[in-house]
Amino acid sequence: MAQIQVQGQNGSVNNGAGGGNNQFVPTSLYVGDLDSSVTEAQLYDYFAHVGPVLTVRVCKDLSTRRSLGYGYVNYGNPQDAARALDLLNFTLLNGKPIRIMYSNRDPSLRKSGAGNIFIKNLDKGIDHKALHDTFSAFGNILSCKVATDSSGQSKGYGFVQFDNEESAQKAIEQLNGMLMNDKQVYVGPFVRKQERDSAISNVKFNNVYVKNLSESTSDDDLKTIFGEFGLITSAVVMREPDGKSKGFGFVNFENTDDAARAVESLNGKKFDDKEWYVGKAQKKSERELDLKLQFEQSMKEAADKFQGANLYVKNLDDSISDEKLKELFSQYGTITSYKVMRDPSGISKGSGFVAFSTPEEASRALAEMNGKMVVSKPLYVAPAQRKEDRRARLQAQFSQMRPVTMSPSVAPRMPMYPPGGPGLGQQIFYGQAPPAMFPQPGFGYQQQLVPGMRPGGAPMPNFFVPMVQQGQQGQRPGGRRAGAGQQSQQPVPLMQQQLKLQGCFWRWIRPRFCICSSHQKL
């Protein structure tokens, strides 16, 4: 691993080491910077030698099923998680150093930016571990990363997040402007891109952009008109290679206040029967940001205006047109807008929107039209939501999902019976493959990670697990006691009771293999 030498003004060298105490003891670890070839089984093996691992997961793209480059490892106790973080952080897995930190399901700390600092002008030889070792002297680090390109080379900047603001301020005060590997670095508070862009847009400017110029407008005309507001260093009308005006130009003032006054006075004025647009000259990224903000603002205003009055309708028949959609909903109130969504070829997507003048009318239409049959298809009607609101709601629902794990207390050799063969008296235990003679379920299968079974191993079928106590005798469905030869097959009546309670699996797949009382005569 690379080493960092931090040289202060007195020439001393500080090799950072140590760290603060954890204020929380979680058992779940986030593992980032994973190579795309790392599997869950490999991740399990890599972390299992530190301590017993409950679950592992490599996150993948839903459509391509390719690794997203990060995953999660859950231990049974916090000591194992802390030891894995200490021993395995920044070690190589499939030739690539992994980055480990505690998994925090509450994103408020990350989003707040508290304790987060930005470092730039880093030497190319400084990696994640070297940066972590240097900054850990100032406090407990939650996350540390050097930005890299697609080939893994450093981009010359990185990020460190401490668990408190005091540690971050201490690091900024002592390391900002210092030499790291003979390069003077900048260390300062991390600022989000949106805030940086907003700060850039509020900066004073000297350069003014003018558009909608007539073809006859020359550079001298711009100098004359804008010269009334202050000293001009340059004025130019942009032209084609043949000399024809492009209809816009730039004027640069020596003083920022003069530029601001010129924009305020000349924007919207007419010259040669053309209304000029005069504003701050912007980079492409700044223009895109302004347009995005304007679009989001207009969408928000429209959403606020129709809050509760706009309905989303889906499961529409292809024959439903805009006018037909209006006709269906017009009896419930005044409709302000209506539209059936269509693809570029004009074919209906089966959904649309209807906006009423008041939320009360929309509520009445929703109650009456939701589920109503229209051209042999039941309509689905619901309040319209913005894309961001739907995404936030789905993310909230997804974050509440938890992986289902089995407690180690149920691990010791509990008998398990395949759906097709309890009558044969065979017992199957964890880690033992099912008999080949039994057909396996083809649906409803979800592989669970249980103690003693590695991810990526042979799939386990959906077994019923009857709890059989020693000495317990089985009962036939008719109530008669089983004979001596049947008492050794106690799982049979228990299996039938399970089928009565949970429903017969084979009834829907292959009735001839069903062993429940309702199908014994087949």
Side-chain angles (χ1 to χ4, degrees):
M1 293 293 180
Q3 300 292 329
I4 297 181
Q5 289 187 340
V6 182
Q7 182 176 352
Q9 293 177 353
N10 57 2
S12 62
V13 176
N14 175 22
N15 294 322
N21 295 323
N22 288 336
Q23 298 179 352
F24 50 89
V25 283
T27 59
S28 181
L29 297 177
Y30 166 88
V31 186
D33 296 340
L34 288 176
D35 187 77
S36 58
S37 62
V38 175
T39 63
E40 290 181 344
Q42 188 175 7
L43 196 65
Y44 179 92
D45 289 339
Y46 196 73
F47 281 82
H49 74 273
V50 177
V53 175
L54 295 183
T55 61
V56 297
R57 181 187 178 193
V58 174
C59 297
K60 299 179 180 180
D61 184 86
L62 291 176
S63 56
T64 63
R65 303 307 299 163
R66 293 180 180 175
S67 171
L68 295 175
Y70 66 92
Y72 297 91
V73 177
N74 296 314
Y75 284 96
N77 62 74
Q79 291 78 16
D80 292 335
R83 188 161 58 250
L85 179 62
D86 183 53
L87 296 177
L88 301 181
N89 200 13
F90 307 117
T91 58
L92 297 178
L93 180 57
N94 285 10
K96 187 175 180 181
I98 59 176
R99 189 167 53 91
I100 309 173
M101 62 183 183
Y102 284 113
S103 174
N104 187 2
R105 293 186 180 275
D106 182 9
S108 58
L109 179 62
R110 297 193 305 270
K111 293 183 178 180
S112 67
N116 203 355
I117 61 177
F118 171 70
I119 307 101
K120 70 177 180 179
N121 201 32
L122 289 172
D123 183 77
K124 298 293 185 180
I126 296 176
D127 58 11
H128 306 306
K129 180 169 176 31
L131 192 67
H132 183 279
D133 291 343
T134 300
F135 281 84
S136 61
F138 301 98
N140 186 40
I141 293 177
L142 298 180
S143 176
C144 177
K145 182 177 178 64
V146 174
T148 57
D149 56 22
S150 57
S151 61
Q153 296 296 317
S154 170
K155 292 184 177 180
Y157 64 91
F159 308 90
V160 175
Q161 185 170 15
F162 292 92
D163 61 356
N164 60 77
E165 189 66 32
E166 292 75 16
S167 299
Q169 289 298 327
K170 190 189 305 180
I172 292 173
E173 292 172 1
Q174 297 194 25
L175 294 182
N176 185 32
M178 296 298 178
L179 294 178
M180 290 187 181
N181 289 8
D182 298 326
K183 292 188 70 174
Q184 186 176 13
V185 298
Y186 165 82
V187 182
F190 170 73
V191 182
R192 297 185 185 86
K193 184 176 185 301
Q194 296 87 342
E195 298 174 0
R196 295 198 304 270
D197 292 337
S198 176
I200 290 174
S201 63
N202 294 327
V203 172
K204 292 185 177 182
F205 58 93
N206 297 77
N207 204 8
V208 176
Y209 169 70
V210 191
K211 74 173 182 178
N212 207 23
L213 302 175
S214 64
E215 293 185 5
S216 60
T217 303
S218 64
D219 297 350
D220 294 334
D221 294 333
L222 290 183
K223 291 179 181 178
T224 302
I225 296 173
F226 283 88
E228 299 177 1
F229 300 95
L231 182 61
I232 294 175
T233 58
S234 66
V236 61
V237 175
M238 305 306 294
R239 301 183 179 277
E240 302 284 358
D242 58 2
K244 183 179 179 181
S245 172
K246 291 184 177 180
F248 67 91
F250 297 91
V251 178
N252 195 52
F253 284 87
E254 188 174 273
N255 187 280
T256 57
D257 294 333
D258 296 339
R261 285 192 297 110
V263 169
E264 184 179 354
S265 301
L266 297 179
N267 186 35
K269 283 198 172 184
K270 285 189 176 182
F271 295 89
D272 297 331
D273 296 330
K274 285 200 169 187
E275 184 177 317
W276 280 10
Y277 168 82
V278 182
K280 172 191 170 186
Q282 295 176 308
K283 297 178 181 178
K284 183 180 180 180
S285 59
E286 295 175 349
R287 291 197 306 274
E288 290 176 347
L289 174 65
D290 284 347
L291 291 174
K292 181 180 179 181
L293 293 176
Q294 291 175 11
F295 176 75
E296 290 178 350
Q297 182 64 25
S298 62
M299 292 295 292
K300 186 177 183 302
E301 291 175 354
D304 294 340
K305 179 181 178 181
F306 293 104
Q307 182 69 32
N310 196 9
L311 296 179
Y312 169 69
V313 187
K314 74 174 182 179
N315 208 27
L316 292 172
D317 189 82
D318 292 345
S319 63
I320 301 296
S321 62
D322 293 349
E323 294 300 327
K324 181 63 177 177
L325 184 65
K326 179 183 179 182
E327 181 183 340
L328 290 172
F329 285 85
S330 59
Q331 57 182 315
Y332 302 105
T334 304
I335 295 177
T336 58
S337 66
Y338 52 92
K339 184 175 182 61
V340 174
M341 306 306 293
R342 301 182 181 278
D343 60 20
S345 61
I347 299 175
S348 172
K349 292 183 177 180
S351 62
F353 296 90
V354 179
F356 287 87
S357 59
T358 64
E360 292 76 15
E361 296 173 346
S363 299
R364 188 163 59 251
L366 189 152
E368 295 290 337
M369 295 296 293
N370 188 32
K372 184 177 180 180
M373 299 294 294
V374 177
V375 196
S376 73
K377 296 180 75 173
L379 294 184
Y380 170 81
V381 185
Q385 292 180 311
R386 292 195 307 158
K387 183 178 180 181
E388 293 79 6
D389 297 335
R390 291 198 308 274
R391 181 180 298 160
R393 178 173 56 83
L394 292 174
Q395 287 178 346
Q397 293 176 355
F398 182 76
S399 65
Q400 295 175 358
M401 298 172 62
R402 296 291 186 271
V404 180
T405 58
M406 297 184 65
S407 171
S409 61
V410 301
R413 297 182 67 82
M414 180 184 295
M416 304 179 70
Y417 304 95
L424 300 179
Q426 283 190 318
Q427 294 187 356
I428 299 176
F429 299 92
Y430 290 123
Q432 178 180 348
M437 64 178 291
F438 299 119
Q440 296 187 14
F443 70 96
Y445 167 77
Q446 181 178 358
Q447 183 176 355
Q448 302 290 348
L449 181 62
V450 297
M453 176 182 175
R454 297 193 312 172
M460 295 179 62
N462 290 331
F463 292 113
F464 293 102
V465 188
M467 300 297 293
V468 183
Q469 296 183 0
Q470 193 170 11
Q472 182 180 359
Q473 296 207 0
Q475 288 283 343
R476 287 186 180 276
R480 293 181 298 169
R481 188 170 300 278
Q486 292 149 343
Q487 290 180 5
S488 63
Q489 299 177 7
Q490 293 178 6
V492 176
L494 288 175
M495 185 65 194
Q496 294 169 352
Q497 293 175 13
Q498 290 281 348
L499 289 173
K500 280 187 176 182
L501 294 174
Q502 302 184 18
C504 178
F505 173 84
W506 297 101
R507 180 182 304 168
W508 308 107
I509 304 302
R510 300 181 69 178
R512 293 183 181 275
F513 289 90
C514 179
I515 51 86
C516 75
S517 58
S518 61
H519 290 86
Q520 283 180 350
K521 296 181 180 180
L522 291 178

